[in-house]
Amino acid sequence: MTSPASPVDTADPFTAPFGSLFGDKITIARMEAGEGYRYSGSAEPMENLSLHPATHALHYGSSCFEGLKAFRQNDGSLAIFRLEDHALRLTKTVAQLYMAVPDIELVKTMIIDAAEANASHTPDAPGSLYLRPTLLGTQVNIGAAATPSNSALFYVFASPVGDYFAGGVRPLTIYVETETPRTTPQFGRAKAGANYAMALGPTLDAKATHGADQVLFASGGDVTETGAANFFLVDNDRVVTRELDDSFLHGVTRSSVLALAADLGYQVEERHISLDELRAWAGRGEAFLSGTAAIIAPVGTLRLEGDTVAFGDGQPGPNTLKLRQALTDIQIGAAPDPHNWLTPIEG
Ligand SMILES: *Cc1c(COP(=O)(O)O)cnc(C)c1O
């Protein structure tokens, strides 16, 4: 197997599309039927995988992932943001796919080892080293459609990324989808590829028909999240987001924003958001999306039941920018880390 060409040493993560550059090391563990996950204990060269064409994940959706970041700190050291929370969520998703769950300590070790092995590729802030733990069901049996994969491959690789908003934070146009749901009730919380496949049709439709960047899923009038980010309303006093249940992905960024909002003195409300409230909020407040890749992305315009609703003057609002700054300051060690979100690593 030859290694794919990797221009990571010469390419600029600030101009390359997000996620298109890769570090040259990967950590890999294998689980065979009836055994535990086996990790060699160190990173290997990043090479193409060799998979049997009948591999379970390629047919029956037994694949899931995480996305987290290591940041170059202001003092030059390196730290992973909210390692424990991402590792824990991966184990929950694997359990939802009914595959053997890797030990959370192994997951953390493999993430740290992958980050350290690729540390030299970490761009300075606002760039970061994006880490992608991935777990695939590898049972070779196309008859296993109604059974979980009894073997698996778990690996962690890295992608040096620049600022998601190269050229400045740009407010998004969001289409509010009130009929088609993002995913199914049993998969709402799973960080699984299958959910992205399901959200694709509505998202492409909204782009083509409504000029939207993203879709906010609100089937039956219940505002939940977009295809890959959680949704917030904010004004000078309050931060509002949907309360947790199994219908949507529990973002780690979402939880960070809520904690910081409380620290900054906002009233934090986790509850249902109706379409009427969404419409009314635009007149006096701001809205944003949260997720690891873009961190906090302002919403400028909503397309809602035939109306076009603008938040403020369509520019990123002061409260959105304040929360974004508070979060990025902690991530790069420019502000104290009162919640112990950073795990220092070598490199
Ligand atoms: C990953 C993801 C998010 C954001 O989660 P973070 O932990 O904040 O990165 C939101 N929605 C979906 C569907 C996701 O897959």
Side-chain angles (χ1 to χ4, degrees):
M1 225 16 26
T2 55
S3 179
S6 166
V8 70
D9 290 321
T10 50
D12 178 3
F14 288 92
T15 53
F18 188 97
S20 66
L21 291 180
F22 302 103
D24 47 17
K25 295 288 193 312
I26 183 169
T27 51
I28 304 179
R30 291 187 171 77
M31 186 274 290
E32 300 300 335
E35 298 173 8
Y37 284 82
R38 291 200 186 155
Y39 169 47
S40 68
S42 58
E44 305 172 25
M46 172 93 158
E47 288 179 348
N48 290 342
L49 296 173
S50 174
L51 294 174
H52 191 285
T55 293
H56 197 277
L58 302 179
H59 299 265
Y60 304 127
S62 54
S63 86
C64 62
F65 63 95
E66 267 303 318
L68 70 169
K69 285 173 168 174
F71 292 89
R72 184 66 65 199
Q73 305 291 290
N74 272 1
D75 66 4
S77 65
L78 197 60
I80 299 177
F81 188 68
R82 302 202 67 168
L83 172 64
E84 179 86 26
D85 306 270
H86 286 279
L88 183 64
R89 191 172 63 189
L90 179 89
T91 63
K92 289 184 176 165
T93 304
V94 176
Q96 280 189 280
L97 294 168
Y98 299 97
M99 287 190 282
V101 177
D103 188 77
I104 188 165
E105 290 308 318
L106 175 71
V107 175
K108 282 158 57 178
T109 298
M110 286 176 60
I111 294 172
I112 291 172
D113 288 357
E116 291 183 342
N118 291 291
S120 65
H121 303 303
T122 311
D124 286 335
S128 60
L129 189 66
Y130 182 87
L131 301 163
R132 176 51 69 94
T134 310
L135 195 143
L136 306 176
T138 51
Q139 185 173 359
V140 174
N141 176 3
I142 49 170
T147 51
S149 177
N150 64 10
S151 60
L153 185 64
F154 172 51
Y155 53 85
V156 185
F157 61 95
S159 175
V161 296
D163 195 348
Y164 199 85
F165 292 102
V169 179
R170 184 182 64 89
L172 301 172
T173 297
I174 303 290
Y175 174 72
V176 184
E177 172 59 64
T178 55
E179 281 163 27
T180 310
R182 180 183 64 91
T183 177
T184 61
Q186 69 269 36
F187 248 54
R189 281 184 69 171
K191 203 164 179 75
N195 284 340
Y196 288 77
M198 280 187 266
L200 205 48
T203 306
L204 293 178
D205 278 354
K207 280 182 184 165
T209 315
H210 304 281
D213 298 301
Q214 297 287 332
V215 173
L216 177 58
F217 289 92
S219 47
D222 176 19
V223 175
T224 56
E225 65 164 326
T226 67
N230 295 123
F231 179 77
F232 283 81
L233 297 171
V234 60
D235 62 15
N236 293 336
D237 307 312
R238 292 189 289 168
V239 171
V240 186
T241 196
R242 175 75 154 69
E243 82 270 22
L244 295 177
D245 65 12
D246 288 347
S247 70
F248 72 104
L249 202 287
H250 300 185
V252 174
T253 316
R254 172 190 179 280
S255 125
S256 305
V257 168
L258 291 176
L260 286 180
D263 293 349
L264 290 169
Y266 288 93
Q267 182 180 322
V268 169
E269 300 177 10
E270 295 182 68
R271 57 169 173 79
H272 269 62
I273 298 169
S274 70
L275 298 180
D276 285 343
E277 179 170 26
L278 208 51
R279 206 179 269 112
W281 199 277
R284 57 184 177 77
E286 307 162 31
F288 63 84
L289 306 181
S290 77
T292 295
I295 308 179
I296 284 181
V299 175
T301 307
L302 288 180
R303 304 228 192 276
L304 173 58
E305 296 178 322
D307 298 335
T308 296
V309 182
F311 284 89
D313 57 3
Q315 291 309 303
N319 294 289
T320 301
L321 293 178
K322 182 165 136 185
L323 288 164
R324 188 174 207 278
Q325 190 71 42
L327 183 49
T328 54
D329 279 352
I330 293 178
Q331 289 177 327
I332 63 168
D337 175 22
H339 303 280
N340 289 315
W341 286 334
L342 291 172
T343 302
I345 61 169
E346 298 294 320

